[in-house]
Amino acid sequence: MPEVTYVATDGSERKVEVPQGRSVMHGAIQNGVRGIEAECGGVLSCATCHVYVDPEWVDRLDPPSEDEEDMLSNTAAERRPGSRLSCQIEVTDDLNGLRVQIPETQS
Amino acid sequence: MSDGLVVLGASYAGVQIAVSARESGYEGPIAILGDEAELPYQRPPLSKGYLSGKVDDATLPLRSAGFYEEYRIKLHLGTAATAVDRRGRAVVLADGTEHRFDRLAFATGSRARTLSLPGADLDGVYTLRSLADARQLLAAMRTAERAVVVGGGYIGLEVASTLVTAGCQVTVLEASDRLLSRAAAPPLAAFVTEAHRSRGVEVVTGVQATRLLGEAGRVTSVESTDHVSRPANLVLVAAGAIPNGELAVASGLACDQTAIIVDACGRTNEPEVLAAGDCAATRQGAAVLRLESIQNATDQGRAAGKAVAGRAEEHPVVPWFWSDQYELKLQMAGLVAGYDRHVIRGRTDSGRFGIYYFRAGRLIAVDTVNKPGEHLTARKLVASPAGITPEAAADESVNLRSFLKAAQPAS
Ligand SMILES: Cc1cc2nc3c(=O)[nH]c(=O)nc-3n(C[C@H](O)[C@H](O)[C@H](O)COP(=O)(O)OP(=O)(O)OC[C@H]3O[C@@H](n4cnc5c(N)ncnc54)[C@H](O)[C@@H]3O)c2cc1C
Ligand code: FES
C-alpha cells in the first residue's frame, strides 16, 4: 500500500499507509492525523483539508481542477506554491512516499 | 475524582464538543453516549454519494477509533439515554447503567418527521436520517421503478436526483407552493425546480399526500390532495426534522418545543448544561433560530466545548450549507430571511452563477451554483462590515476578492 507522510506544524511526522484510490484526506482522517478538518467530507465544499505538498512532489501530482484552484485562493492558512486540497489528491502506487505538510489552521 | 463531561449524542456536535473541550484544556473524563452502533459518521453522503455508489462505508467515520483514544474520549455506542437526573447529576441508559457527570452536553440532533397518514407504515415507505436508514433505502432502490418523494427539501431533492439518474420515474410532492420553502429563497428554488423538471422529475407543489395504498403490506400508490393516485413501489418521506430535545424538556431546561435554547456559547439556562447542533436553538430577538447543518453543529459544538473548559467566547459565524444534486453543487452562505433585493452574478443558463441577497443595501446571503471558490469568498463578504454593493456583485468584471482586501482591518 502506498505510504504518505504527514508533517505536523511542529515538524513531527506520521507515516500512514493509504489504500490506492483513497484520498490523502481520507488517510489523515481515518488514521487520526491532526490538523485536517475536512468538514464537507471531501466534496470540494469547505477547503478545510488544505495541505502543503512537498516541493519535490508538487509536479508529480495531477494539477488542481479549476474549482480547486479557485478554492485555494480562499484557504484559512496562507496559500503557498504546494497548496492543495487533500481530498482531491487520489493516492496511487506512483505516489508512494508522498510528503505533505499540515498548515497552521483550517478555519 | 470528578465525574467529568458527559455528552449525549455521538455525531458532529457531540464529537466537536468533546474535542474542543480537550483542545481548550479540559482535563476531566469525557464520555460520549450514543444510541447508534457505528463510530460517529458523516450524514451528508447518505442522501448523496452513498446512494449513487460514490461513497462507501469505509469513508464515512468522522474520526478513527484511535483518535478518540488519543483525546481520552470514551465512546459508549449502541445504547440510548432514557433519563437525565439533573439534581443527581446522572444520565440513565436504556440498559439501566448510570453515568454521573459534572457537566452535561446535549448533542442529540434531530430525527426525521414521519407522516401520520393511512398506509404510512407499509413496507416500501422510508425516511432517511441514519446510516441504517440509508442502507435500507439503498437496497430498495435496486428494485425501484416508480418513486414518490414526499417533501421538497434538500434531502428529498437529493434522493430524487439520484433516483431519476438511476432510471426511476420520480414524483416530488411538496405541500407548500414551492420547493425548498424553508431552506432557500425563491430565486434558487426556481432554478432547482427547473433542474429537476428538465431531467424528468415530476415536481408537484401545493399538494399534500393523503393516503398510501398497498398490496400484501407493500406500498403500491400514493394519493394526494390533487386527487391523483400515483403508482409507487418506493416512497421516501422527507418532510423535515424534529429536534431530539425531549430529555432536556423533561429535565426542566428552557426549550422551544423540543429545541434546547442556548446562548452564543452553547450554554443552556443551567450553568452546567450545554447543547449544540440540530437539537439546539438560539434566540434572535423574539424569534428562535434553529439550523440543521454541519457548519452549525461544528461551530456550536466548538463554542460549547470551549465553555466546558472555562473559555466561553463569542465568535461571529456565517452559516453555510451545501447540497449536491445531479452535477450541481449548491452552496448557501448567510441567512436569506428578510432580503429585499437580489442580483445574479453570471448567467443561470451557464449552470455556474451566484445569487446575492441584500437587506437595506447590505449583503446578507449568497447562493452559488457550481462556484465553490466564489462561495468561500462570499462567506467572507457576508461577514465583512464593508460588504459589497448590488451593482458590484452583479458585475462579473469586478473582482470580489478586492472587496475583502479593502475591508481588512488596518492592524
Ligand atoms: C440525509 C442527510 C443529508 C444531509 N446533508 C447535509 C449537507 O449536505 N450539508 C449540511 O451542512 N448538513 C446536511 N445534513 C444535516 C446534518 O447532517 C445535521 O445538521 C448534523 O448531522 C447535525 O449534527 P448533530 O450532531 O447535531 O445531530 P445528529 O447528526 O442528528 O446526531 C445526533 C445523534 O444523537 C443520537 N441520539 C439522539 N437521542 C439520543 C439519546 N437519547 N441517547 C443517545 N443518543 C441519542 C442520534 O441517534 C444521533 O446519532 C444532512 C442530514 C441528513 C439526515
Ligand atoms: S474536505 Fe471539504 S474541500 Fe476537501
Side-chain angles (χ1 to χ4, degrees), chain B residues 9 128 174 198 344 376 407:
Chain B
L128 179 54
E174 166 57 44
S198 68
I344 310 269
L376 294 175

Side-chain angles (χ1 to χ4, degrees), chain A residues 25 38-49 71 85-88:
Chain A
M25 178 276 277
E39 269 181 64
C40 77
V43 296
L44 215 50
S45 287
C46 71
T48 63
C49 61
M71 290 175 75
L85 297 180
S86 58
C87 69
Q88 302 301 305

Side-chain angles (χ1 to χ4, degrees), chain A residues 22 30 34 43 45 73-74, chain B residues 56 61 64 70 329 377 401:
Chain A
R22 300 293 188 189
Q30 298 314 329
R34 292 195 196 189
V43 296
S45 287
S73 315
N74 273 306
Chain B
D56 59 31
S64 62
E70 200 187 323
K329 173 171 292 301
T377 308
R401 290 173 46 77

Side-chain angles (χ1 to χ4, degrees), chain B residues 68-348:
Chain B
Y68 298 101
E69 276 167 35
E70 200 187 323
Y71 271 74
R72 288 176 292 126
I73 296 169
K74 269 212 136 97
L75 296 176
H76 297 270
L77 302 174
T79 312
T82 49
V84 171
D85 173 5
R86 253 182 42 225
R87 288 237 165 116
R89 300 211 160 174
V91 175
V92 183
L93 300 189
D95 61 8
T97 54
E98 251 191 38
H99 285 262
R100 299 187 50 80
F101 62 82
D102 301 316
R103 298 299 201 87
L104 177 67
F106 283 91
T108 43
S110 57
R111 60 180 177 275
R113 190 185 298 279
T114 50
L115 297 181
S116 52
L117 296 178
D121 54 355
L122 286 165
D123 286 346
V125 182
Y126 300 91
T127 55
L128 179 54
R129 180 76 209 175
S130 65
L131 183 53
D133 296 339
R135 287 184 176 136
Q136 288 192 0
L137 183 60
L138 185 60
M141 281 175 59
R142 302 214 173 93
T143 51
E145 284 161 8
R146 287 164 170 265
V148 172
V149 175
V150 182
Y154 285 115
I155 293 175
L157 293 174
E158 287 169 357
V159 175
S161 76
T162 308
L163 283 167
V164 81
T165 305
C168 187
Q169 223 174 307
V170 185
T171 299
V172 175
L173 293 183
E174 166 57 44
S176 68
D177 60 357
R178 63 176 177 86
L179 296 182
L180 297 172
S181 59
R182 288 177 308 118
L188 180 66
F191 174 81
V192 170
T193 305
E194 185 45 37
H196 281 273
R197 288 199 169 132
S198 68
R199 287 165 179 85
V201 175
E202 183 195 22
V203 177
V204 187
T205 57
V207 167
Q208 273 175 307
T210 49
R211 191 157 71 130
L212 282 69
L213 300 176
E215 270 164 35
R218 281 203 68 83
V219 71
T220 51
S221 64
V222 179
E223 291 182 356
S224 45
T225 50
D226 55 356
H227 307 294
V228 178
S229 175
R230 292 181 174 82
N233 64 347
L234 189 159
V235 174
L236 176 72
V237 178
I242 300 171
N244 292 324
E246 284 80 1
L247 291 180
V249 173
S251 72
L253 291 176
C255 292
D256 177 65
Q257 303 199 32
T258 58
I260 307 164
I261 300 291
V262 294
D263 66 10
C265 302
R267 292 173 295 204
T268 68
N269 62 320
E270 290 297 330
E272 83 283 9
V273 185
L274 304 116
D278 278 18
C279 69
T282 53
R283 287 198 197 283
Q284 313 280 322
V288 167
L289 177 69
R290 191 176 69 83
L291 298 171
E292 292 168 2
S293 68
I294 301 309
Q295 169 276 324
N296 178 64
T298 308
D299 284 336
Q300 252 175 2
R302 191 177 289 131
K306 284 186 170 178
V308 168
R311 292 180 43 194
E313 35 189 278
E314 283 188 32
H315 277 290
V317 292
V318 175
W320 64 272
F321 188 80
W322 78 93
S323 175
D324 296 324
Q325 299 169 33
Y326 310 106
E327 72 298 346
L328 303 172
K329 173 171 292 301
L330 313 176
Q331 290 177 284
M332 289 52 76
L335 295 177
V336 81
Y339 78 95
D340 52 31
R341 177 170 180 196
H342 73 276
V343 298
I344 310 269
R345 182 179 175 87
R347 292 167 47 125
T348 52

Side-chain angles (χ1 to χ4, degrees), chain A residues 71-94:
Chain A
M71 290 175 75
L72 285 168
S73 315
N74 273 306
T75 48
E78 68 163 336
R79 178 173 188 176
R80 295 187 204 150
S83 279
R84 290 297 303 266
L85 297 180
S86 58
C87 69
Q88 302 301 305
I89 307 174
E90 188 184 309
V91 175
T92 59
D93 276 336
D94 293 347

